[in-house]
Amino acid sequence: MGRYQGRVAVVTGAARGIGWGIASRFAEEGASVALVDLDAAAVAEAADRLPLRPGAAATAVVADVSSAPAVETAIGTVVGDLGGLHVLVNNAGVTRDNLIHKMPEDEWDLVLGVHLKGAFLMSRAAQRHFVEQRYGKILNLSSTSALGTRGQANYSTAKMGVQGFTRALAIELGPFGVNVNAVAPGFVTTEMTDATAARLGLGVEEFRNARAERNPVRRVGSPDDIAAAAAFLCSDEASYVTGQTLYVDGGSKL
Ligand code: NAP
């Protein structure tokens, strides 16, 4: 019997990358899983590939997490399709890296809109169900970039904001049986970091190797590394853990 048997989890930005890794891990451990993402074909294909346990189900939902009407509809669809909601992972993300003197206003707005407003809207919609049933888990994706990265004023701001958001929600929702935590990955091999390599004019392997060399554990992370932490933080084994940000980065910021 998996830790997540009988649970329904919704993961945003789950068509690929870290979100897909977390969704797959929840499915392996028995959950029914809703994948939320922007691209209809990609999210449907991802839902079809989930390693579901017998009796569990999956649903693919197309929604922009920074749109309040889309989020309200998405949460309604998840509850309707899968019969409830117990776990929310706010993972959807974008980067628009630029030094501040070159950063257009729309790049600032987009990054804060997806990471911060998206997490706010999804959490606001999900907590209604969590508070009513006196049970829920929220996990927010922060980043080592929260500590400040050159060329990422928008992203670093959003990712540190996620940590404050996590602490505030933990205080508000703890009395109602809801745990709220964050995971802050370091470098993880996904299309997001491959795009960074391209922007820096480096090959994907060259970039990964350079980052691995600087890391105390001498490797970069995989979506599975983040999924393992997520599976713990959203489980009942972590019911006395709330308001925390767990850095999963191979010690890169030590
Ligand atoms: P990724 O491969 O780029 O995947 C992100 C997913 O989110 C994509 O499928 C994307 O869809 C979706 N998405 C973007 N905007 C959305 C929106 N408004 N509504 C719904 N879905 C949206 O990124 P990742 O590397 O897996 O990152 C996942 C999370 O981990 C992000 O929050 C990121 O900031 C965080 N993180 C990543 C790393 C890393 O090294 N990879 C490190 C620290 C933190 P489209 O492709 O259609 O845009």
Side-chain angles (χ1 to χ4, degrees):
M1 196 177 92
R3 278 188 292 188
Y4 284 89
Q5 192 152 21
R7 302 288 187 220
V8 175
V10 58
V11 183
T12 68
R16 66 170 197 241
I18 293 171
W20 161 252
I22 293 172
S24 303
R25 178 67 184 254
F26 286 158
E28 280 167 13
E29 296 208 28
S32 289
V33 185
L35 310 184
V36 176
D37 215 302
L38 292 172
D39 185 282
V43 72
E45 190 268 333
D48 283 345
R49 282 190 290 127
L50 278 174
L52 295 171
R53 291 279 192 94
T59 192
V61 182
V62 179
D64 176 348
V65 296
S66 64
S67 157
V71 163
E72 292 298 326
T73 304
I75 292 292
T77 302
V78 173
V79 173
D81 286 358
L82 299 179
L85 186 58
H86 307 97
V87 179
L88 164 65
V89 179
N90 288 309
N91 167 83
V94 291
T95 51
R96 289 294 184 276
D97 298 350
N98 244 324
L99 295 173
I100 189 160
H101 67 279
K102 290 192 269 186
M103 187 178 289
E105 199 177 336
D106 64 343
E107 289 186 355
W108 176 272
D109 289 343
L110 175 70
V111 170
L112 269 75
V114 175
H115 292 275
L116 279 182
K117 189 175 176 192
F120 155 62
L121 292 173
M122 288 294 299
S123 301
R124 188 178 63 173
Q127 61 82 34
R128 287 187 205 112
H129 300 274
F130 295 165
V131 168
E132 193 182 333
Q133 70 200 6
R134 294 293 194 272
Y135 184 93
K137 310 284 181 188
I138 298 176
L139 183 70
N140 299 314
L141 267 288
S142 180
S143 166
T144 48
S145 296
L147 303 171
T149 306
R150 187 172 188 273
Q152 289 196 316
N154 48 8
Y155 186 74
S156 294
T157 301
K159 290 311 200 184
M160 191 51 100
V162 160
Q163 296 190 21
F165 179 66
T166 298
R167 294 172 64 95
L169 286 200
I171 293 165
E172 289 184 26
L173 299 177
F176 302 99
V178 183
N179 295 71
V180 188
N181 289 293
V183 64
F187 188 105
V188 176
T189 55
T190 69
E191 287 185 32
M192 184 178 276
T193 42
D194 290 353
T196 307
R199 186 174 54 78
L200 297 173
L202 299 171
V204 166
E205 286 308 318
E206 182 187 7
F207 188 45
R208 290 178 183 178
N209 291 340
R211 295 297 295 258
E213 273 170 28
R214 299 209 312 253
N215 202 322
V217 301
R218 296 291 189 270
R219 70 172 179 89
V220 292
S222 72
D224 287 346
D225 290 314
I226 311 309
F232 168 66
L233 287 171
C234 295
S235 76
D236 291 334
E237 289 172 292
S239 61
Y240 203 51
V241 181
T242 199
Q244 303 304 305
T245 297
L246 177 63
Y247 282 82
V248 183
D249 66 345
S252 66
K253 291 291 183 186
L254 295 175

